[in-house]
Short mmCIF file of all heavy atoms in Angstrom, two decimals:
data_model
loop_
_atom_site.label_atom_id
_atom_site.label_comp_id
_atom_site.label_asym_id
_atom_site.label_seq_id
_atom_site.Cartn_x
_atom_site.Cartn_y
_atom_site.Cartn_z
N GLY A 271 94.11 33.99 25.11
CA GLY A 271 94.59 33.53 26.44
C GLY A 271 93.53 32.72 27.23
O GLY A 271 93.83 32.05 28.22
N THR A 272 92.29 32.71 26.66
CA THR A 272 91.24 31.86 27.25
C THR A 272 91.58 30.37 27.03
O THR A 272 92.16 30.01 26.01
CB THR A 272 89.84 32.15 26.53
OG1 THR A 272 89.51 33.50 27.05
CG2 THR A 272 88.80 31.18 27.03
N ASP A 273 91.23 29.50 27.94
CA ASP A 273 91.62 28.03 27.85
C ASP A 273 91.00 27.39 26.68
O ASP A 273 89.96 27.87 26.18
CB ASP A 273 91.16 27.33 29.14
CG ASP A 273 92.10 27.50 30.28
OD1 ASP A 273 93.19 28.15 30.05
OD2 ASP A 273 91.83 27.21 31.42
N PRO A 274 91.64 26.36 26.17
CA PRO A 274 91.10 25.66 25.03
C PRO A 274 89.77 25.03 25.27
O PRO A 274 89.37 24.82 26.43
CB PRO A 274 92.23 24.60 24.68
CG PRO A 274 93.41 25.02 25.44
CD PRO A 274 92.94 25.75 26.65
N GLN A 275 89.12 24.66 24.17
CA GLN A 275 87.83 23.90 24.32
C GLN A 275 88.01 22.65 25.10
O GLN A 275 89.08 22.11 25.25
CB GLN A 275 87.25 23.60 22.90
CG GLN A 275 88.07 22.59 22.13
CD GLN A 275 87.61 22.46 20.66
OE1 GLN A 275 87.70 23.39 19.85
NE2 GLN A 275 86.99 21.32 20.41
N VAL A 276 86.86 22.14 25.66
CA VAL A 276 86.91 20.96 26.50
C VAL A 276 86.12 19.84 25.84
O VAL A 276 85.38 20.09 24.89
CB VAL A 276 86.39 21.26 27.94
CG1 VAL A 276 87.24 22.30 28.64
CG2 VAL A 276 84.92 21.78 27.84
N SER A 277 86.21 18.62 26.36
CA SER A 277 85.48 17.54 25.82
C SER A 277 83.98 17.49 26.23
O SER A 277 83.27 16.63 25.70
CB SER A 277 86.20 16.25 26.10
OG SER A 277 86.25 15.99 27.45
N THR A 278 83.69 18.21 27.28
CA THR A 278 82.30 18.20 27.74
C THR A 278 81.53 19.42 27.12
O THR A 278 81.97 20.08 26.29
CB THR A 278 82.28 18.34 29.31
OG1 THR A 278 83.04 19.57 29.65
CG2 THR A 278 82.94 17.13 29.92
N ASN A 279 80.26 19.53 27.63
CA ASN A 279 79.26 20.47 26.94
C ASN A 279 79.41 21.94 27.38
O ASN A 279 78.53 22.69 27.16
CB ASN A 279 77.86 20.01 27.14
CG ASN A 279 77.43 19.96 28.56
OD1 ASN A 279 78.15 20.34 29.49
ND2 ASN A 279 76.30 19.44 28.84
N LEU A 280 80.51 22.31 27.94
CA LEU A 280 80.77 23.68 28.46
C LEU A 280 81.24 24.66 27.39
O LEU A 280 81.32 25.81 27.62
CB LEU A 280 81.76 23.72 29.60
CG LEU A 280 81.27 23.03 30.90
CD1 LEU A 280 82.52 22.83 31.84
CD2 LEU A 280 80.23 23.77 31.57
N ASN A 281 81.45 24.18 26.18
CA ASN A 281 81.93 25.04 25.09
C ASN A 281 80.82 25.98 24.67
O ASN A 281 79.67 25.63 24.69
CB ASN A 281 82.40 24.17 23.96
CG ASN A 281 83.50 23.17 24.32
OD1 ASN A 281 84.63 23.52 24.64
ND2 ASN A 281 83.14 21.86 24.39
N ALA A 282 81.21 27.19 24.22
CA ALA A 282 80.26 28.16 23.80
C ALA A 282 80.55 28.48 22.32
O ALA A 282 81.62 28.89 22.02
CB ALA A 282 80.38 29.44 24.63
N PRO A 283 79.55 28.31 21.46
CA PRO A 283 79.68 28.71 20.08
C PRO A 283 80.01 30.18 19.98
O PRO A 283 79.67 30.98 20.90
CB PRO A 283 78.35 28.40 19.44
CG PRO A 283 77.62 27.42 20.33
CD PRO A 283 78.21 27.75 21.70
N LEU A 284 80.59 30.53 18.88
CA LEU A 284 81.04 31.91 18.63
C LEU A 284 79.89 32.94 18.81
O LEU A 284 80.03 34.01 19.54
CB LEU A 284 81.71 32.13 17.28
CG LEU A 284 82.20 33.49 16.94
CD1 LEU A 284 83.22 33.98 17.93
CD2 LEU A 284 82.70 33.57 15.54
N ALA A 285 78.69 32.60 18.28
CA ALA A 285 77.54 33.49 18.39
C ALA A 285 77.16 33.78 19.84
O ALA A 285 76.86 34.86 20.21
CB ALA A 285 76.40 32.95 17.66
N ALA A 286 77.37 32.75 20.67
CA ALA A 286 77.00 32.90 22.10
C ALA A 286 78.02 33.77 22.78
O ALA A 286 77.64 34.63 23.62
CB ALA A 286 76.90 31.50 22.72
N ALA A 287 79.32 33.59 22.53
CA ALA A 287 80.38 34.40 23.13
C ALA A 287 80.15 35.86 22.74
O ALA A 287 80.38 36.79 23.62
CB ALA A 287 81.73 33.91 22.70
N ILE A 288 79.86 36.15 21.52
CA ILE A 288 79.65 37.50 21.06
C ILE A 288 78.41 38.07 21.78
O ILE A 288 78.41 39.32 22.28
CB ILE A 288 79.49 37.58 19.58
CG1 ILE A 288 80.78 37.16 18.87
CG2 ILE A 288 79.02 38.99 19.16
CD1 ILE A 288 80.67 37.09 17.33
N SER A 289 77.35 37.36 21.98
CA SER A 289 76.18 37.83 22.69
C SER A 289 76.50 38.21 24.12
O SER A 289 76.09 39.25 24.63
CB SER A 289 75.06 36.75 22.67
OG SER A 289 74.35 36.69 21.51
N ALA A 290 77.25 37.38 24.77
CA ALA A 290 77.67 37.61 26.10
C ALA A 290 78.49 38.90 26.25
O ALA A 290 78.27 39.72 27.19
CB ALA A 290 78.48 36.46 26.64
N THR A 291 79.38 39.15 25.29
CA THR A 291 80.21 40.35 25.31
C THR A 291 79.33 41.59 25.10
O THR A 291 79.48 42.58 25.80
CB THR A 291 81.25 40.28 24.18
OG1 THR A 291 81.94 38.99 24.33
CG2 THR A 291 82.21 41.43 24.22
N MET A 292 78.46 41.51 24.05
CA MET A 292 77.54 42.66 23.78
C MET A 292 76.65 43.02 25.04
O MET A 292 76.46 44.20 25.35
CB MET A 292 76.75 42.42 22.53
CG MET A 292 77.47 42.26 21.29
SD MET A 292 78.40 43.74 20.79
CE MET A 292 79.41 43.15 19.47
N SER A 293 76.20 41.95 25.64
CA SER A 293 75.33 42.19 26.81
C SER A 293 76.07 42.89 27.93
O SER A 293 75.56 43.79 28.58
CB SER A 293 74.78 40.84 27.34
OG SER A 293 73.90 40.28 26.36
N CYS A 294 77.34 42.47 28.19
CA CYS A 294 78.12 43.06 29.17
C CYS A 294 78.48 44.59 28.85
O CYS A 294 78.26 45.48 29.79
CB CYS A 294 79.45 42.34 29.38
SG CYS A 294 80.56 42.99 30.61
N VAL A 295 78.87 44.80 27.62
CA VAL A 295 79.30 46.19 27.29
C VAL A 295 78.12 47.09 27.39
O VAL A 295 78.12 48.23 27.90
CB VAL A 295 79.91 46.22 25.90
CG1 VAL A 295 80.11 47.65 25.43
CG2 VAL A 295 81.28 45.40 25.94
N LYS A 296 76.89 46.62 26.85
CA LYS A 296 75.71 47.47 26.91
C LYS A 296 75.32 47.78 28.29
O LYS A 296 74.97 48.87 28.62
CB LYS A 296 74.57 46.85 26.07
CG LYS A 296 73.40 47.78 25.99
CD LYS A 296 72.32 47.26 25.20
CE LYS A 296 71.19 48.27 25.00
NZ LYS A 296 70.73 48.97 26.17
N SER A 297 75.19 46.71 29.19
CA SER A 297 74.80 46.94 30.54
C SER A 297 75.77 47.88 31.32
O SER A 297 75.26 48.59 32.18
CB SER A 297 74.59 45.59 31.19
OG SER A 297 75.85 44.89 31.36
N ALA A 298 77.05 47.73 31.07
CA ALA A 298 78.01 48.54 31.89
C ALA A 298 78.19 49.99 31.39
O ALA A 298 78.36 50.86 32.19
CB ALA A 298 79.38 47.86 31.87
N LEU A 299 78.11 50.16 30.08
CA LEU A 299 78.50 51.48 29.53
C LEU A 299 77.31 52.27 29.02
O LEU A 299 77.42 53.54 28.95
CB LEU A 299 79.47 51.29 28.31
CG LEU A 299 80.87 50.72 28.69
CD1 LEU A 299 81.71 50.78 27.43
CD2 LEU A 299 81.52 51.58 29.77
N THR A 300 76.20 51.69 28.66
CA THR A 300 75.17 52.49 28.01
C THR A 300 73.92 52.57 28.87
O THR A 300 73.84 51.94 29.93
CB THR A 300 74.78 51.86 26.64
OG1 THR A 300 73.99 50.65 26.91
CG2 THR A 300 75.99 51.51 25.86
N SER A 301 73.05 53.36 28.44
CA SER A 301 71.76 53.64 29.17
C SER A 301 70.71 52.57 28.77
O SER A 301 70.71 52.09 27.65
CB SER A 301 71.17 55.07 28.80
OG SER A 301 72.15 56.01 29.14
N PRO A 302 69.81 52.22 29.70
CA PRO A 302 68.82 51.17 29.41
C PRO A 302 67.86 51.58 28.32
O PRO A 302 67.26 50.72 27.68
CB PRO A 302 68.04 51.13 30.72
CG PRO A 302 68.91 51.65 31.83
CD PRO A 302 69.76 52.72 31.03
N ASP A 303 67.73 52.88 27.96
CA ASP A 303 66.84 53.26 26.92
C ASP A 303 67.39 53.15 25.51
O ASP A 303 66.68 53.35 24.58
CB ASP A 303 66.33 54.75 27.16
CG ASP A 303 67.50 55.72 27.02
OD1 ASP A 303 68.55 55.45 27.61
OD2 ASP A 303 67.29 56.76 26.29
N ILE A 304 68.62 52.81 25.42
CA ILE A 304 69.25 52.59 24.08
C ILE A 304 68.72 51.25 23.58
O ILE A 304 68.93 50.20 24.10
CB ILE A 304 70.73 52.63 24.13
CG1 ILE A 304 71.21 53.98 24.70
CG2 ILE A 304 71.37 52.35 22.79
CD1 ILE A 304 72.72 54.10 24.82
N PRO A 305 68.09 51.29 22.40
CA PRO A 305 67.65 49.95 21.81
C PRO A 305 68.77 49.01 21.51
O PRO A 305 69.80 49.46 21.08
CB PRO A 305 66.90 50.46 20.49
CG PRO A 305 66.65 51.91 20.61
CD PRO A 305 67.76 52.41 21.53
N PHE A 306 68.51 47.80 21.76
CA PHE A 306 69.46 46.73 21.50
C PHE A 306 69.26 46.26 20.07
O PHE A 306 68.34 45.46 19.84
CB PHE A 306 69.31 45.57 22.51
CG PHE A 306 70.55 44.70 22.63
CD1 PHE A 306 70.93 44.19 23.86
CD2 PHE A 306 71.25 44.32 21.61
CE1 PHE A 306 71.98 43.38 24.04
CE2 PHE A 306 72.38 43.49 21.69
CZ PHE A 306 72.77 43.02 22.85
N ASN A 307 69.97 46.75 19.11
CA ASN A 307 69.83 46.32 17.70
C ASN A 307 71.25 46.27 17.00
O ASN A 307 72.24 46.41 17.73
CB ASN A 307 68.89 47.19 16.97
CG ASN A 307 69.32 48.66 16.90
OD1 ASN A 307 70.48 49.02 16.82
ND2 ASN A 307 68.33 49.60 17.03
N ALA A 308 71.20 46.15 15.76
CA ALA A 308 72.48 45.90 14.98
C ALA A 308 73.45 47.16 15.13
O ALA A 308 74.65 46.98 15.00
CB ALA A 308 72.20 45.62 13.56
N GLY A 309 72.90 48.29 15.47
CA GLY A 309 73.77 49.44 15.67
C GLY A 309 74.74 49.30 16.74
O GLY A 309 75.88 49.93 16.74
N LEU A 310 74.44 48.48 17.74
CA LEU A 310 75.30 48.24 18.84
C LEU A 310 76.61 47.61 18.44
O LEU A 310 77.67 47.93 18.93
CB LEU A 310 74.70 47.33 19.88
CG LEU A 310 75.46 46.87 21.05
CD1 LEU A 310 75.79 48.01 22.03
CD2 LEU A 310 74.75 45.70 21.83
N THR A 311 76.56 46.74 17.44
CA THR A 311 77.73 45.96 17.07
C THR A 311 78.72 46.76 16.14
O THR A 311 79.85 46.29 15.96
CB THR A 311 77.23 44.71 16.32
OG1 THR A 311 76.70 45.05 15.04
CG2 THR A 311 76.32 43.92 17.05
N ARG A 312 78.32 47.94 15.66
CA ARG A 312 79.14 48.63 14.69
C ARG A 312 80.37 49.32 15.37
O ARG A 312 81.34 49.70 14.63
CB ARG A 312 78.29 49.70 14.02
CG ARG A 312 77.21 49.07 13.16
CD ARG A 312 76.24 50.11 12.62
NE ARG A 312 75.14 49.55 11.90
CZ ARG A 312 74.13 50.24 11.50
NH1 ARG A 312 74.02 51.52 11.65
NH2 ARG A 312 73.09 49.66 10.87
N SER A 313 80.33 49.50 16.64
CA SER A 313 81.51 50.11 17.35
C SER A 313 82.20 49.24 18.28
O SER A 313 83.02 49.64 19.04
CB SER A 313 81.00 51.41 18.03
OG SER A 313 79.92 51.06 18.97
N ILE A 314 81.85 47.93 18.28
CA ILE A 314 82.41 46.98 19.23
C ILE A 314 83.00 45.78 18.38
O ILE A 314 82.25 45.11 17.62
CB ILE A 314 81.41 46.47 20.22
CG1 ILE A 314 80.82 47.65 21.04
CG2 ILE A 314 82.01 45.44 21.17
CD1 ILE A 314 79.63 47.29 21.87
N ASP A 315 84.27 45.52 18.59
CA ASP A 315 84.91 44.34 17.93
C ASP A 315 85.13 43.26 18.99
O ASP A 315 85.56 43.62 20.11
CB ASP A 315 86.20 44.77 17.33
CG ASP A 315 86.05 45.78 16.21
OD1 ASP A 315 85.19 45.53 15.32
OD2 ASP A 315 86.74 46.72 16.14
N VAL A 316 84.86 42.04 18.61
CA VAL A 316 85.13 40.93 19.53
C VAL A 316 86.01 39.93 18.84
O VAL A 316 85.81 39.44 17.75
CB VAL A 316 83.72 40.19 19.96
CG1 VAL A 316 84.01 39.09 20.92
CG2 VAL A 316 82.77 41.15 20.41
N ILE A 317 87.17 39.57 19.54
CA ILE A 317 88.18 38.65 19.06
C ILE A 317 88.09 37.38 19.91
O ILE A 317 88.34 37.50 21.18
CB ILE A 317 89.50 39.32 19.08
CG1 ILE A 317 89.57 40.51 18.22
CG2 ILE A 317 90.59 38.28 18.60
CD1 ILE A 317 90.90 41.40 18.34
N VAL A 318 87.80 36.23 19.31
CA VAL A 318 87.77 35.05 19.99
C VAL A 318 88.54 33.95 19.32
O VAL A 318 88.25 33.50 18.22
CB VAL A 318 86.28 34.56 20.22
CG1 VAL A 318 86.20 33.35 21.21
CG2 VAL A 318 85.39 35.70 20.55
N PRO A 319 89.73 33.51 19.91
CA PRO A 319 90.47 32.50 19.19
C PRO A 319 89.74 31.19 18.88
O PRO A 319 89.03 30.70 19.79
CB PRO A 319 91.62 32.29 20.18
CG PRO A 319 91.62 33.43 21.13
CD PRO A 319 90.21 33.94 21.16
N GLU A 320 89.84 30.70 17.64
CA GLU A 320 89.25 29.44 17.36
C GLU A 320 89.94 28.34 18.12
O GLU A 320 91.13 28.34 18.33
CB GLU A 320 89.42 29.13 15.86
CG GLU A 320 88.62 27.96 15.41
CD GLU A 320 88.70 27.71 13.87
OE1 GLU A 320 89.46 28.43 13.27
OE2 GLU A 320 88.03 26.80 13.38
N GLY A 321 89.08 27.38 18.56
CA GLY A 321 89.57 26.27 19.33
C GLY A 321 89.60 26.54 20.88
O GLY A 321 89.92 25.67 21.70
N SER A 322 89.20 27.76 21.29
CA SER A 322 89.11 28.08 22.68
C SER A 322 87.69 27.64 23.14
O SER A 322 86.80 27.31 22.34
CB SER A 322 89.21 29.57 22.91
OG SER A 322 88.10 30.22 22.42
N ILE A 323 87.47 27.70 24.48
CA ILE A 323 86.20 27.27 25.04
C ILE A 323 85.04 28.18 24.56
O ILE A 323 83.87 27.92 24.58
CB ILE A 323 86.21 27.10 26.60
CG1 ILE A 323 85.06 26.28 27.09
CG2 ILE A 323 86.33 28.44 27.23
CD1 ILE A 323 85.15 25.91 28.51
N LEU A 324 85.44 29.41 24.09
CA LEU A 324 84.42 30.43 23.60
C LEU A 324 84.28 30.42 22.07
O LEU A 324 83.54 31.15 21.55
CB LEU A 324 84.86 31.79 24.06
CG LEU A 324 84.92 32.14 25.53
CD1 LEU A 324 85.35 33.53 25.81
CD2 LEU A 324 83.58 31.86 26.24
N ASN A 325 84.92 29.46 21.41
CA ASN A 325 84.89 29.35 19.99
C ASN A 325 85.38 28.00 19.57
O ASN A 325 86.39 27.85 18.87
CB ASN A 325 85.64 30.47 19.23
CG ASN A 325 85.39 30.51 17.78
OD1 ASN A 325 84.53 29.83 17.22
ND2 ASN A 325 86.25 31.25 17.07
N PRO A 326 84.69 26.91 19.97
CA PRO A 326 85.21 25.55 19.75
C PRO A 326 85.14 25.13 18.27
O PRO A 326 84.37 25.64 17.48
CB PRO A 326 84.28 24.70 20.63
CG PRO A 326 83.02 25.50 20.58
CD PRO A 326 83.33 26.92 20.55
N ARG A 327 85.87 24.13 17.99
CA ARG A 327 85.89 23.42 16.67
C ARG A 327 84.83 22.36 16.70
O ARG A 327 84.72 21.60 17.74
CB ARG A 327 87.22 22.96 16.24
CG ARG A 327 88.32 24.06 16.12
CD ARG A 327 89.52 23.47 15.54
NE ARG A 327 90.54 24.48 15.35
CZ ARG A 327 91.47 24.89 16.22
NH1 ARG A 327 91.53 24.29 17.43
NH2 ARG A 327 92.40 25.75 15.91
N TYR A 328 84.12 22.17 15.61
CA TYR A 328 83.16 21.08 15.42
C TYR A 328 83.96 19.79 15.71
O TYR A 328 85.07 19.58 15.26
CB TYR A 328 82.59 21.13 13.99
CG TYR A 328 81.81 19.92 13.55
CD1 TYR A 328 80.49 19.81 13.88
CD2 TYR A 328 82.47 18.84 12.88
CE1 TYR A 328 79.81 18.66 13.50
CE2 TYR A 328 81.78 17.73 12.49
CZ TYR A 328 80.41 17.67 12.79
OH TYR A 328 79.76 16.49 12.44
N PRO A 329 83.31 18.80 16.28
CA PRO A 329 81.92 18.65 16.77
C PRO A 329 81.80 18.81 18.30
O PRO A 329 80.95 18.11 18.91
CB PRO A 329 81.50 17.27 16.30
CG PRO A 329 82.79 16.44 16.54
CD PRO A 329 83.94 17.38 16.32
N ALA A 330 82.48 19.69 18.92
CA ALA A 330 82.47 19.80 20.43
C ALA A 330 81.08 20.03 20.90
O ALA A 330 80.36 20.83 20.26
CB ALA A 330 83.34 20.93 20.81
N PRO A 331 80.65 19.43 22.02
CA PRO A 331 79.31 19.70 22.51
C PRO A 331 79.23 21.10 23.18
O PRO A 331 80.21 21.64 23.62
CB PRO A 331 79.15 18.62 23.55
CG PRO A 331 80.48 18.30 24.00
CD PRO A 331 81.45 18.51 22.79
N VAL A 332 77.98 21.66 23.09
CA VAL A 332 77.88 23.10 23.53
C VAL A 332 76.64 23.36 24.46
O VAL A 332 76.30 24.54 24.59
CB VAL A 332 77.81 24.02 22.29
CG1 VAL A 332 79.06 23.95 21.55
CG2 VAL A 332 76.59 23.58 21.43
N ARG A 333 75.96 22.31 24.91
CA ARG A 333 74.69 22.43 25.58
C ARG A 333 74.80 23.45 26.72
O ARG A 333 73.86 24.23 26.98
CB ARG A 333 74.24 21.10 26.12
CG ARG A 333 72.97 21.09 26.90
CD ARG A 333 71.76 21.53 26.13
NE ARG A 333 70.54 21.25 26.83
CZ ARG A 333 69.92 22.03 27.71
NH1 ARG A 333 70.51 23.17 28.05
NH2 ARG A 333 68.76 21.70 28.30
N ALA A 334 75.90 23.36 27.51
CA ALA A 334 76.04 24.19 28.74
C ALA A 334 76.83 25.45 28.39
O ALA A 334 77.59 25.92 29.28
CB ALA A 334 76.61 23.37 29.81
N ARG A 335 76.68 26.02 27.27
CA ARG A 335 77.55 27.22 26.79
C ARG A 335 77.33 28.36 27.74
O ARG A 335 78.22 29.23 27.81
CB ARG A 335 77.24 27.54 25.39
CG ARG A 335 76.23 28.66 25.05
CD ARG A 335 74.83 28.18 25.19
NE ARG A 335 73.92 29.20 24.61
CZ ARG A 335 72.70 29.44 25.10
NH1 ARG A 335 72.28 28.74 26.14
NH2 ARG A 335 71.89 30.25 24.54
N MET A 336 76.26 28.48 28.47
CA MET A 336 75.99 29.65 29.30
C MET A 336 77.07 29.79 30.40
O MET A 336 77.40 30.86 30.79
CB MET A 336 74.66 29.63 29.87
CG MET A 336 73.48 29.96 29.01
SD MET A 336 73.60 31.69 28.34
CE MET A 336 72.94 32.47 29.77
N GLU A 337 77.55 28.64 30.90
CA GLU A 337 78.61 28.72 32.01
C GLU A 337 79.81 29.46 31.49
O GLU A 337 80.33 30.26 32.21
CB GLU A 337 78.95 27.28 32.52
CG GLU A 337 77.77 26.35 32.79
CD GLU A 337 76.81 27.03 33.83
OE1 GLU A 337 77.09 28.01 34.42
OE2 GLU A 337 75.79 26.24 34.06
N SER A 338 80.28 29.15 30.26
CA SER A 338 81.45 29.82 29.76
C SER A 338 81.11 31.27 29.42
O SER A 338 81.93 32.18 29.54
CB SER A 338 81.93 29.05 28.48
OG SER A 338 82.28 27.76 28.77
#
Side-chain angles (χ1 to χ4, degrees):
T272 292
D273 281 350
Q275 67 188 68
V276 296
S277 62
T278 55
N279 62 5
L280 294 167
N281 304 290
L284 180 60
I288 293 173
S289 281
T291 306
M292 296 297 172
S293 295
C294 179
V295 172
K296 186 180 188 306
S297 64
L299 292 184
T300 74
S301 301
D303 65 312
I304 298 177
F306 200 139
N307 61 35
L310 174 69
T311 65
R312 296 173 186 170
S313 56
I314 302 170
D315 297 313
V316 183
I317 300 170
V318 190
E320 186 178 7
S322 71
I323 198 170
L324 296 178
N325 186 12
R327 296 184 178 93
Y328 168 86
V332 296
R333 175 66 166 86
R335 94 284 191 213
M336 286 293 284
E337 312 303 355
S338 301

